[in-house]
Amino acid sequence: MTIAGTATTADFKKICPLVSRRTTTHDYGATETHRVHVKYVTFGDDRPVIIAGPCSVESYEQTLELAHTVKSCGGDMLRGGAFKPRTSPHDFQGLGIEGLQILYEVGRDTGLPIVTEVMDPRLVEQVGEYADMLQIGSRNMQNYPLLVEVGRYGKPVLLKRGMAASLGEWLGAAEYIAKEGNFSIVLCERGIKAYPSGEYSRFILDLNVLPAIRQETFLPVIVDPSHATGVANMVEPASRGAIECGAQGLLIEIASDRKDAPKPRCDAAQAIDPPTLNRIVEFVRGRELRSVGANAYA
Ligand code: PEP
Ligand code: MN
């Protein structure tokens, strides 16, 4: 069978036999998803996982406040960057180890599992001591030494799609992690570069990839509507669209709506307020109930 575009099933089997749904060694059939467990949270069952939090960890107070927002809205996990991949080296790079310590403490104090980005293969173990799940960012999707290192380390990995990556390249990246014996991989579509990128939104959210990826691999896939759009008022509709197209979770950036809260130092334009997160979670949980037995991709 040919996937629309350039890659065929034969190509996928060659690039990523370990994570392809079509290889005979796996028993996931045509639709079943591999479950990835991060503490008590499970990716890949019928219940979409909601991860939310700040773009970057800026203080204990900010992170704790937003963790309480995530919890009270019914979210499952806390996100937050301690090491930030910024276009300019002159921009805020994150709090580094101090940010990891804050995330660890907030995770411990609220019970929320933590996901944070690791950019340097030499820091995988150190970041892994603080985090429950390691994020590979879009810019590092093809950093092969980093993929090998998180594969060897063994903790669950959130693998974002490279902003210009094909499906084959993305699954090839997942294969590097799986080849080291780590199948706790969750894929994350976060928008791709295409002709109108930057004109009305930051990237183009590729919803078409969701049914394609669910057909090609048994790994769970979630969507980041925040980086995909870059515009706060697009995040809610993009989240709904993603869930309707088969996303098994969402990764969302939020900020406090208190008048005296400092403006986020990173990605302020795409951060949604707590009431918007609440509506998104209500939509996701409501759809879950409406679609019991009727989800084409479940
Ligand atoms: C992030 O989620 O913090 C991030 C930087 O995203 P991306 O790698 O998708 O740009
Ligand atoms: Mn961000």
PDB file of all heavy atoms in Angstrom, residues 55 79 84-85 117 135-139 160 163 190 224 227 251 253, ligand 1:
ATOM      1  N   CYS A  55       5.994  27.690  29.208  1.00  0.00           N
ATOM      2  CA  CYS A  55       7.043  27.429  28.225  1.00  0.00           C
ATOM      3  C   CYS A  55       8.331  27.196  28.990  1.00  0.00           C
ATOM      4  O   CYS A  55       8.945  26.145  28.872  1.00  0.00           O
ATOM      5  CB  CYS A  55       7.175  28.634  27.280  1.00  0.00           C
ATOM      6  SG  CYS A  55       8.524  28.441  26.114  1.00  0.00           S
ATOM      7  N   ARG A  79       4.376  20.383  32.208  1.00  0.00           N
ATOM      8  CA  ARG A  79       5.510  20.630  31.332  1.00  0.00           C
ATOM      9  C   ARG A  79       6.229  21.902  31.793  1.00  0.00           C
ATOM     10  O   ARG A  79       5.654  22.730  32.493  1.00  0.00           O
ATOM     11  CB  ARG A  79       5.088  20.801  29.877  1.00  0.00           C
ATOM     12  CG  ARG A  79       4.207  21.988  29.566  1.00  0.00           C
ATOM     13  CD  ARG A  79       4.479  22.626  28.184  1.00  0.00           C
ATOM     14  NE  ARG A  79       5.732  23.359  28.164  1.00  0.00           N
ATOM     15  CZ  ARG A  79       6.588  23.371  27.153  1.00  0.00           C
ATOM     16  NH1 ARG A  79       6.307  22.722  26.054  1.00  0.00           N
ATOM     17  NH2 ARG A  79       7.716  24.070  27.221  1.00  0.00           N
ATOM     18  N   LYS A  84      16.248  25.837  27.361  1.00  0.00           N
ATOM     19  CA  LYS A  84      15.410  26.315  26.259  1.00  0.00           C
ATOM     20  C   LYS A  84      16.209  26.444  24.971  1.00  0.00           C
ATOM     21  O   LYS A  84      17.242  27.119  24.943  1.00  0.00           O
ATOM     22  CB  LYS A  84      14.822  27.704  26.594  1.00  0.00           C
ATOM     23  CG  LYS A  84      13.858  27.753  27.766  1.00  0.00           C
ATOM     24  CD  LYS A  84      12.678  26.823  27.623  1.00  0.00           C
ATOM     25  CE  LYS A  84      11.845  27.045  26.374  1.00  0.00           C
ATOM     26  NZ  LYS A  84      10.802  26.009  26.228  1.00  0.00           N
ATOM     27  N   PRO A  85      15.728  25.829  23.896  1.00  0.00           N
ATOM     28  CA  PRO A  85      16.394  25.994  22.595  1.00  0.00           C
ATOM     29  C   PRO A  85      15.914  27.299  21.962  1.00  0.00           C
ATOM     30  O   PRO A  85      14.799  27.381  21.482  1.00  0.00           O
ATOM     31  CB  PRO A  85      15.880  24.781  21.806  1.00  0.00           C
ATOM     32  CG  PRO A  85      14.525  24.482  22.401  1.00  0.00           C
ATOM     33  CD  PRO A  85      14.512  24.996  23.799  1.00  0.00           C
ATOM     34  N   GLU A 117      12.556  19.275  28.587  1.00  0.00           N
ATOM     35  CA  GLU A 117      13.434  19.009  27.442  1.00  0.00           C
ATOM     36  C   GLU A 117      14.883  18.785  27.858  1.00  0.00           C
ATOM     37  O   GLU A 117      15.402  19.446  28.750  1.00  0.00           O
ATOM     38  CB  GLU A 117      13.353  20.197  26.453  1.00  0.00           C
ATOM     39  CG  GLU A 117      14.288  20.031  25.264  1.00  0.00           C
ATOM     40  CD  GLU A 117      13.939  20.922  24.080  1.00  0.00           C
ATOM     41  OE1 GLU A 117      12.909  21.639  24.113  1.00  0.00           O
ATOM     42  OE2 GLU A 117      14.713  20.902  23.108  1.00  0.00           O
ATOM     43  N   GLN A 135      11.877  15.199  27.122  1.00  0.00           N
ATOM     44  CA  GLN A 135      11.405  15.717  25.835  1.00  0.00           C
ATOM     45  C   GLN A 135      12.581  15.946  24.897  1.00  0.00           C
ATOM     46  O   GLN A 135      13.585  16.545  25.270  1.00  0.00           O
ATOM     47  CB  GLN A 135      10.660  17.039  26.079  1.00  0.00           C
ATOM     48  CG  GLN A 135      10.162  17.716  24.821  1.00  0.00           C
ATOM     49  CD  GLN A 135       9.248  18.890  25.152  1.00  0.00           C
ATOM     50  OE1 GLN A 135       8.425  18.806  26.069  1.00  0.00           O
ATOM     51  NE2 GLN A 135       9.377  19.984  24.429  1.00  0.00           N
ATOM     52  N   ILE A 136      12.423  15.438  23.672  1.00  0.00           N
ATOM     53  CA  ILE A 136      13.368  15.781  22.597  1.00  0.00           C
ATOM     54  C   ILE A 136      12.658  16.820  21.759  1.00  0.00           C
ATOM     55  O   ILE A 136      11.574  16.576  21.204  1.00  0.00           O
ATOM     56  CB  ILE A 136      13.701  14.545  21.724  1.00  0.00           C
ATOM     57  CG1 ILE A 136      14.299  13.408  22.567  1.00  0.00           C
ATOM     58  CG2 ILE A 136      14.646  14.946  20.584  1.00  0.00           C
ATOM     59  CD1 ILE A 136      15.660  13.677  23.149  1.00  0.00           C
ATOM     60  N   GLY A 137      13.228  17.998  21.674  1.00  0.00           N
ATOM     61  CA  GLY A 137      12.580  19.103  20.976  1.00  0.00           C
ATOM     62  C   GLY A 137      12.690  18.968  19.465  1.00  0.00           C
ATOM     63  O   GLY A 137      13.477  18.172  18.936  1.00  0.00           O
ATOM     64  N   SER A 138      11.890  19.789  18.804  1.00  0.00           N
ATOM     65  CA  SER A 138      11.826  19.770  17.346  1.00  0.00           C
ATOM     66  C   SER A 138      13.210  19.926  16.703  1.00  0.00           C
ATOM     67  O   SER A 138      13.556  19.228  15.753  1.00  0.00           O
ATOM     68  CB  SER A 138      10.913  20.921  16.906  1.00  0.00           C
ATOM     69  OG  SER A 138      10.732  20.902  15.535  1.00  0.00           O
ATOM     70  N   ARG A 139      13.980  20.841  17.272  1.00  0.00           N
ATOM     71  CA  ARG A 139      15.302  21.134  16.680  1.00  0.00           C
ATOM     72  C   ARG A 139      16.293  20.001  16.866  1.00  0.00           C
ATOM     73  O   ARG A 139      17.321  19.952  16.209  1.00  0.00           O
ATOM     74  CB  ARG A 139      15.856  22.431  17.291  1.00  0.00           C
ATOM     75  CG  ARG A 139      15.065  23.652  16.869  1.00  0.00           C
ATOM     76  CD  ARG A 139      15.170  24.777  17.882  1.00  0.00           C
ATOM     77  NE  ARG A 139      14.226  25.841  17.563  1.00  0.00           N
ATOM     78  CZ  ARG A 139      12.930  25.810  17.900  1.00  0.00           C
ATOM     79  NH1 ARG A 139      12.415  24.777  18.551  1.00  0.00           N
ATOM     80  NH2 ARG A 139      12.134  26.809  17.579  1.00  0.00           N
ATOM     81  N   LYS A 160       9.329  15.070  19.800  1.00  0.00           N
ATOM     82  CA  LYS A 160       8.658  16.033  18.927  1.00  0.00           C
ATOM     83  C   LYS A 160       9.094  15.845  17.481  1.00  0.00           C
ATOM     84  O   LYS A 160      10.221  15.425  17.205  1.00  0.00           O
ATOM     85  CB  LYS A 160       8.966  17.442  19.413  1.00  0.00           C
ATOM     86  CG  LYS A 160       8.262  17.757  20.725  1.00  0.00           C
ATOM     87  CD  LYS A 160       8.227  19.231  20.937  1.00  0.00           C
ATOM     88  CE  LYS A 160       7.026  19.634  21.747  1.00  0.00           C
ATOM     89  NZ  LYS A 160       6.835  21.080  21.715  1.00  0.00           N
ATOM     90  N   MET A 163      10.640  20.306  12.712  1.00  0.00           N
ATOM     91  CA  MET A 163       9.714  21.253  12.068  1.00  0.00           C
ATOM     92  C   MET A 163       9.688  21.118  10.542  1.00  0.00           C
ATOM     93  O   MET A 163       8.800  21.674   9.896  1.00  0.00           O
ATOM     94  CB  MET A 163      10.017  22.682  12.500  1.00  0.00           C
ATOM     95  CG  MET A 163      11.397  23.153  12.168  1.00  0.00           C
ATOM     96  SD  MET A 163      11.718  24.799  12.839  1.00  0.00           S
ATOM     97  CE  MET A 163      11.914  24.499  14.591  1.00  0.00           C
ATOM     98  N   ARG A 190       4.043  19.047  16.313  1.00  0.00           N
ATOM     99  CA  ARG A 190       4.132  20.403  16.866  1.00  0.00           C
ATOM    100  C   ARG A 190       4.149  21.489  15.782  1.00  0.00           C
ATOM    101  O   ARG A 190       4.573  22.604  16.009  1.00  0.00           O
ATOM    102  CB  ARG A 190       5.354  20.531  17.782  1.00  0.00           C
ATOM    103  CG  ARG A 190       6.628  20.008  17.210  1.00  0.00           C
ATOM    104  CD  ARG A 190       7.304  20.900  16.213  1.00  0.00           C
ATOM    105  NE  ARG A 190       7.876  22.084  16.875  1.00  0.00           N
ATOM    106  CZ  ARG A 190       7.968  23.271  16.300  1.00  0.00           C
ATOM    107  NH1 ARG A 190       7.584  23.437  15.023  1.00  0.00           N
ATOM    108  NH2 ARG A 190       8.478  24.305  16.927  1.00  0.00           N
ATOM    109  N   ASP A 224       0.969  19.275  20.022  1.00  0.00           N
ATOM    110  CA  ASP A 224       1.289  20.527  20.707  1.00  0.00           C
ATOM    111  C   ASP A 224       0.687  21.669  19.887  1.00  0.00           C
ATOM    112  O   ASP A 224       1.268  22.092  18.881  1.00  0.00           O
ATOM    113  CB  ASP A 224       2.816  20.668  20.794  1.00  0.00           C
ATOM    114  CG  ASP A 224       3.278  22.042  21.273  1.00  0.00           C
ATOM    115  OD1 ASP A 224       2.438  22.958  21.409  1.00  0.00           O
ATOM    116  OD2 ASP A 224       4.486  22.213  21.504  1.00  0.00           O
ATOM    117  N   HIS A 227       2.991  25.521  20.096  1.00  0.00           N
ATOM    118  CA  HIS A 227       4.072  25.875  19.163  1.00  0.00           C
ATOM    119  C   HIS A 227       3.586  25.800  17.715  1.00  0.00           C
ATOM    120  O   HIS A 227       4.075  26.535  16.860  1.00  0.00           O
ATOM    121  CB  HIS A 227       5.291  24.977  19.389  1.00  0.00           C
ATOM    122  CG  HIS A 227       5.937  25.247  20.718  1.00  0.00           C
ATOM    123  ND1 HIS A 227       5.579  24.580  21.856  1.00  0.00           N
ATOM    124  CD2 HIS A 227       6.869  26.161  21.086  1.00  0.00           C
ATOM    125  CE1 HIS A 227       6.274  25.059  22.876  1.00  0.00           C
ATOM    126  NE2 HIS A 227       7.072  26.018  22.439  1.00  0.00           N
ATOM    127  N   LEU A 251      -0.202  18.826  24.410  1.00  0.00           N
ATOM    128  CA  LEU A 251       0.865  19.480  25.179  1.00  0.00           C
ATOM    129  C   LEU A 251       0.660  20.979  24.993  1.00  0.00           C
ATOM    130  O   LEU A 251       0.798  21.489  23.871  1.00  0.00           O
ATOM    131  CB  LEU A 251       2.230  19.054  24.626  1.00  0.00           C
ATOM    132  CG  LEU A 251       3.461  19.712  25.232  1.00  0.00           C
ATOM    133  CD1 LEU A 251       3.757  19.157  26.618  1.00  0.00           C
ATOM    134  CD2 LEU A 251       4.683  19.494  24.339  1.00  0.00           C
ATOM    135  N   GLU A 253       0.934  25.180  26.343  1.00  0.00           N
ATOM    136  CA  GLU A 253       1.597  26.187  27.174  1.00  0.00           C
ATOM    137  C   GLU A 253       0.562  27.133  27.780  1.00  0.00           C
ATOM    138  O   GLU A 253      -0.331  27.629  27.077  1.00  0.00           O
ATOM    139  CB  GLU A 253       2.629  26.961  26.347  1.00  0.00           C
ATOM    140  CG  GLU A 253       3.826  26.076  26.030  1.00  0.00           C
ATOM    141  CD  GLU A 253       4.992  26.774  25.366  1.00  0.00           C
ATOM    142  OE1 GLU A 253       4.857  27.943  24.953  1.00  0.00           O
ATOM    143  OE2 GLU A 253       6.037  26.133  25.233  1.00  0.00           O
TER     144      GLU A 253
HETATM  145  C1  PEP B   1       8.898  23.287  23.864  1.00  0.00           C
HETATM  146  O1  PEP B   1       7.946  22.480  23.874  1.00  0.00           O
HETATM  147  O2  PEP B   1       9.302  23.835  24.867  1.00  0.00           O
HETATM  148  C2  PEP B   1       9.561  23.583  22.573  1.00  0.00           C
HETATM  149  C3  PEP B   1      10.648  24.344  22.524  1.00  0.00           C
HETATM  150  O3  PEP B   1       8.954  23.063  21.508  1.00  0.00           O
HETATM  151  P1  PEP B   1       9.534  22.703  20.047  1.00  0.00           P
HETATM  152  O4  PEP B   1      10.754  21.859  20.267  1.00  0.00           O
HETATM  153  O5  PEP B   1       8.398  21.943  19.436  1.00  0.00           O
HETATM  154  O6  PEP B   1       9.805  24.001  19.360  1.00  0.00           O
END
